[in-house]
């Protein structure tokens, strides 16, 4: 059973069958999230993943305070794979000794978008390689998320700068 405060869902959260970590590295834009206390006031959220010499992944989260032209806030952390069969289950730490689950539960075949969650369904991020996402794709991802037991009423879109051209 899920923890108190999480969606009542007894089926274990499934991850994607495989993640090529080299392809996953790079910059991602947060399209939507279940807002967390540590993200309060954040817009234009990005995450950059890079490989560290010891095999861990460096994580740099950035956002702007309140407005697209607001002050930049950045936090650095690290991640490590905990399931080498899929590479889809990681643990992330921004404040030692605390580690949180980071499970990749949806992933585009071309690595253009990803959905990241937590096994108790209290955390969720929809990520994209560009700051805007096609609305049809977004709707499809919401269906995938609902099918995995998430409460869609908790998901909020993240304000991102407009971009010329078409979104993923």
């Amino acid at each position: 059973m899920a923890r108190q405060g999480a969606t009542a869902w007894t089926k274990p959260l499934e991850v994607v069958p495989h993640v090529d970590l080299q392809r996953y590295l790079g910059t991602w834009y947060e399209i939507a999230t279940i807002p967390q206390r540590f993200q309060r006031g954040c817009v234009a959220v990005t995450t950059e993943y890079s490989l560290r010499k010891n095999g861990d992944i460096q994580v740099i989260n950035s956002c702007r305070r309140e407005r697209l032209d607001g002050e930049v806030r950045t936090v650095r952390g690290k991640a490590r794979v905990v399931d080498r069969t899929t590479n889809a289950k990681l643990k992330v730490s921004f404040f030692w000794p605390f580690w949180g689950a980071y499970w990749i539960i949806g992933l585009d075949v071309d690595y253009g978008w990803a959905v990241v969650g937590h096994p108790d369904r209290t955390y969720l991020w929809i990520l994209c390689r560009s700051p805007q996402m096609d609305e049809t794709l977004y709707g499809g991802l919401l269906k995938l998320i609902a099918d995995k037991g998430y409460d869609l009423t908790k998901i909020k879109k993240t304000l991102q700068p407009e971009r010329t051209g078409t979104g993923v």
Side-chain angles (χ1 to χ4, degrees):
M1 188 59 96
R3 267 188 356 198
Q4 183 178 4
T7 303
W9 189 263
T10 56
K11 184 179 175 188
L13 185 61
E14 292 181 8
V15 296
V16 297
H18 180 72
V19 177
D20 177 340
L21 293 176
Q22 287 296 324
R23 293 184 71 195
Y24 197 81
L25 300 176
T27 301
W28 292 90
Y29 295 84
E30 179 184 281
I31 301 301
T33 188
I34 295 177
Q36 301 300 312
R37 182 172 32 100
F38 57 84
Q39 289 183 287
R40 189 172 299 136
C42 279
V43 301
V45 178
T46 61
T47 301
E48 185 176 335
Y49 303 105
S50 59
L51 202 55
R52 298 168 57 139
K53 288 180 184 179
N54 69 357
D56 286 349
I57 298 168
Q58 178 170 283
V59 182
I60 302 174
N61 287 346
S62 299
C63 77
R64 298 241 176 209
R65 266 181 119 71
E66 307 293 336
R67 303 180 326 267
L68 293 176
D69 62 350
E71 174 191 349
V72 175
R73 293 172 35 191
T74 301
V75 62
R76 292 177 182 269
K78 60 184 171 183
R80 57 177 57 130
V81 175
V82 294
D83 174 6
R84 293 280 176 196
T85 303
T86 65
N87 289 336
K89 292 181 181 178
L90 297 92
K91 290 233 180 231
V92 177
S93 177
F94 289 96
F95 309 101
W96 186 87
F98 303 104
W99 291 83
Y102 179 105
W103 288 15
I104 302 170
I105 61 173
L107 183 60
D108 178 36
V109 67
D110 293 323
Y111 289 68
W113 58 262
V115 180
V116 175
H118 188 281
D120 71 6
R121 296 170 175 84
T122 54
Y123 295 90
L124 180 98
W125 292 272
I126 298 174
L127 305 174
C128 189
R129 293 295 189 176
S130 63
Q132 302 296 320
M133 178 180 277
D134 175 80
E135 284 300 317
T136 303
L137 172 58
Y138 181 73
L141 293 180
L142 290 179
K143 179 174 181 351
L144 174 129
I145 291 163
D147 290 347
K148 289 188 176 278
Y150 278 88
D151 178 354
L152 295 184
T153 65
K154 294 180 179 181
I155 298 172
K156 305 293 182 222
K157 279 195 155 182
T158 303
L159 179 64
Q160 290 284 3
E162 292 296 321
R163 166 180 103 95
T164 57
T166 58
V168 170

